DNA sequence: TAGTGCATGTAACAGGTTACATGATTTT
DNA sequence: AAAATCATGTAACCTGTTACATGCACTA
């Protein structure tokens, strides 16, 4: 929220729209959370109500303390490197469902990655040439991460499905051999 | 937890060790959470106390209902595709700190990715050839995802740092030109 | 016998989600 | 006049983290 307000004053409602539109893939936030957090930030002096509009609209702006806190967070607080992926956790236990279902799971992951990749390409077409130099650059960089991540996910999931298919084949052959041995 | 117990009975303490050792990068869990969750799962009939040992040790085993629930979760519940990355969120606001600090941030991300990649390579050396066919395969697949993800992160962060450096250069040139214009 | 490791649990708090609740202004 | 949009807030609940609290059993 400090980041968004650093670009100019906005109401809780405005921020909500921004979260829904452009930050949704990076940091989703709910309406309740936003208003609660605005109250908290105001109490801490990091934002202040700059103007009041119709329908009880309160336009917030970032304070100097807020800007300092934002800069501090940006470069001095070490990023978390998101662990915890239920997508990957499932992979560990995929032997519980047999090769067919396991392969299906991985193939669906690949399809999904392709779909998300396409969506990001769509966004890129849409935002091309928007904003000034610096803003566009950082937006591009973030978008590029999404593109590379989804591409890597697709490649990996396809590769993994192939490995599972190979195991499937191997098992089938063994079964066949065992059958022949019994027949002989 | 159901996944871990599907490989054989274990106590809360055992599960904790497994989480710390092998699931730490995929799904970290704390001790409090584990014991609380075991109680809940037992109440729901997904696990049961199979044996009691010294020091109040309770060995849990998965029930048939638990196994069914695990299989259901594995293939029928759609995975989340982790959104929410504070690492990426920062990128959006990097214009607040100037090109120098922004480049520093991205370079640190690259270094970190390299470090994590190396750690995963170490793990791969360590686990090579362990477990049976199916288990090893899915372990390999999960590890491969880590390797690809960290490699992609390194490449991306280096590329991004390069783009920021280019902007830095451009700005420096403009500044120079402006200086010359004033001199003339 | 002192230290380490095994073993289980509770309490307070932080962050986030869903659902509830209300009402003013603008557009059709 | 009705519908959509703008606009703000609260309450209950769930998940997860940190810190507290306890004690047995093995080993050096």
């Amino acid at each position: 929220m400090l980041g968004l307000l650093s670009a100019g004053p906005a109401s809780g409602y405005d921020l909500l729209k921004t979260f829904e539109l452009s930050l949704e893939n990076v940091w989703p936030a709910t309406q309740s959370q936003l208003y609660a957090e605005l109250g908290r930030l105001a109490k801490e002096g990091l934002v202040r109500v700059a103007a009041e509009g119709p329908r009880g609209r309160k336009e917030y702006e970032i304070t100097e303390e807020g800007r300092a806190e934002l800069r501090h967070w940006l470069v001095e607080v070490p990023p978390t490197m998101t662990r915890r992926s239920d997508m990957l956790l499932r992979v560990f236990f995929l032997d519980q469902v047999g090769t067919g279902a396991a392969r299906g799971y991985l193939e669906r992951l690949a399809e999904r990655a392709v779909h998300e990749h396409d969506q990001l390409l769509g966004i890129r077409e849409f935002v091309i040439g928007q904003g000034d130099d610096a803003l566009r650059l950082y937006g591009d960089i973030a978008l590029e991460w999404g593109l590379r991540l989804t591409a890597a996910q697709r490649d990996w999931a396809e590769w993994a499905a192939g490995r599972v298919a190979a195991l499937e084949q191997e098992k089938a052959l063994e079964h066949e051999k065992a059958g022949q041995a019994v027949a002989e």
Side-chain angles (χ1 to χ4, degrees), chain A residues 9-97:
Chain A
S11 71
Y13 194 82
D14 294 338
L15 292 177
L16 180 63
K17 296 295 151 196
T18 311
F19 270 95
E20 280 171 1
L21 280 172
S22 58
L23 250 43
E24 213 231 328
N25 294 302
V26 173
W27 199 269
T30 59
Q31 180 254 42
S32 322
Q33 211 186 339
L34 245 63
Y35 285 110
E37 195 61 33
L38 273 176
R40 237 169 286 145
L41 290 174
K43 214 168 66 184
E44 287 174 48
L46 303 179
V47 303
R48 95 167 68 84
V49 179
E52 307 213 5
R55 282 169 290 201
R57 175 190 173 90
K58 289 191 237 169
E59 200 152 71
Y60 287 89
E61 71 181 2
I62 192 168
T63 62
E64 261 320 300
E65 290 97 311
R67 231 174 254 281
E69 173 58 30
L70 173 63
R71 289 203 190 101
H72 167 70
W73 173 73
L74 279 171
V75 291
E76 282 165 59
V77 180
T80 322
M81 295 293 184
T82 328
R83 306 211 287 310
R84 194 163 280 178
S85 154
D86 66 271
M87 173 238 117
L88 198 53
L89 182 59
R90 282 164 219 245
V91 172
F92 276 100
F93 305 117
L94 232 35
D95 64 308
Q96 289 294 310
V97 292

Side-chain angles (χ1 to χ4, degrees), chain A residues 69-143:
Chain A
E69 173 58 30
L70 173 63
R71 289 203 190 101
H72 167 70
W73 173 73
L74 279 171
V75 291
E76 282 165 59
V77 180
T80 322
M81 295 293 184
T82 328
R83 306 211 287 310
R84 194 163 280 178
S85 154
D86 66 271
M87 173 238 117
L88 198 53
L89 182 59
R90 282 164 219 245
V91 172
F92 276 100
F93 305 117
L94 232 35
D95 64 308
Q96 289 294 310
V97 292
T99 48
R103 198 161 41 78
Y105 174 73
L106 293 165
E107 282 162 0
R108 280 202 305 283
L109 284 185
E111 281 163 29
R112 217 166 139 168
V114 168
H115 181 243
E116 281 179 27
H117 191 86
D118 288 346
Q119 277 191 321
L120 290 175
L121 285 176
I123 291 175
R124 179 147 76 175
E125 285 311 303
F126 185 75
V127 299
I128 221 156
Q130 274 181 37
D132 68 61
D133 272 12
L135 275 176
R136 193 171 64 224
L137 174 60
Y138 295 116
D140 274 4
I141 289 176
L143 195 57

